């Protein structure tokens, strides 16, 4: 990998993986921690994060001109920030253009709106310092795969340069 791996980088959540650094598997750039490529091609960041506890509709409330964060949303953002900091990605502030690919492992079989899930995830990545913004100017393309339910749930996020 032409980029630098931060000291002590590891795969988030203690999940099995390749460990820190980048490699090529089947012609695709893969990683278990972090990779920033100087030519802005390939993988920018990869994280395995917990599943958001509430939907985007219930995460933030507004009343009387004030902005109130649901306590579960605050705890989720703190958990994401801890994972990001453990990987050394908290100062990336990627500005794009990026592609975001998600592999979603919901915690149960309940139906969920994808846009509400994306709202919680995008806001958490901005708050943690991975993304400068979660607008369409930064994330210009994306995709997702929904896998079989897996308790307690997880989302694998792969950000690559568009």
């Amino acid at each position: 990998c032409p980029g630098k791996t931060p000291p002590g980088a590891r795969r988030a959540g203690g999940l099995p993986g390749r460990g820190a650094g980048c490699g090529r598997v089947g012609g695709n750039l893969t990683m278990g921690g972090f990779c920033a490529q100087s030519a802005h091609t390939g993988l920018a960041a990869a994280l395995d994060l917990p599943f958001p506890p509430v939907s985007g509709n219930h995460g933030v409330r507004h009343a009387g001109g004030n902005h109130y964060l649901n306590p579960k949303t605050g705890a989720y953002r703190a958990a994401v920030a801890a994972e990001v900091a453990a990987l050394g990605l908290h100062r990336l502030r990627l500005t794009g253009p990026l592609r975001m690919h998600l592999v979603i492992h919901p915690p149960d079989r309940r139906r969920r709106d994808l846009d509400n899930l994306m709202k919680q995830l995008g806001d958490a990545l901005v708050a943690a310092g991975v993304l400068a913004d979660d607008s369409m100017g930064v994330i210009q393309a994306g995709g997702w795969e929904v896998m079989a339910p897996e308790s307690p749930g997880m989302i694998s996020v792969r950000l690559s340069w568009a």
Side-chain angles (χ1 to χ4, degrees):
C1 172
K4 284 181 117 180
T5 302
R10 64 174 179 79
R11 190 174 174 113
L15 298 171
R18 297 179 46 82
C22 301
R24 292 210 176 261
V25 176
N28 296 321
L29 184 66
T30 63
M31 59 171 280
F34 167 74
C35 178
Q37 293 196 343
S38 57
H40 283 359
T41 60
L43 200 57
L47 306 117
D48 292 321
L49 300 172
F51 198 86
V54 295
S55 81
N57 289 336
H58 302 288
V60 180
R61 294 284 184 210
H62 298 89
N66 293 318
H67 180 89
Y68 299 100
L69 209 59
N70 179 316
K72 289 181 180 179
T73 298
Y76 177 70
R77 289 184 185 180
V80 169
E83 292 291 344
V84 166
L87 290 169
L89 302 178
H90 58 288
R91 293 192 180 119
L92 271 183
R93 301 240 182 257
L94 298 171
T95 58
L98 297 170
R99 286 187 191 102
M100 180 187 285
H101 181 79
L102 306 175
V103 179
I104 303 166
H105 297 271
D108 52 44
R109 293 191 175 275
R110 284 185 288 166
R111 291 174 51 134
R112 292 173 171 84
D113 286 343
L114 184 63
D115 58 336
N116 291 330
L117 181 71
M118 296 283 290
K119 175 72 175 150
Q120 288 285 61
L121 182 61
D123 289 348
L125 290 173
V126 169
V130 174
L131 299 174
D133 188 12
D134 60 348
S135 70
M136 291 185 294
V138 175
I139 302 171
Q140 295 186 354
W144 62 89
E145 299 172 59
V146 179
M147 309 305 279
E150 177 182 302
S151 185
M154 181 187 81
I155 301 177
S156 292
V157 180
R158 303 296 178 258
L159 296 167
S160 59
W161 301 107

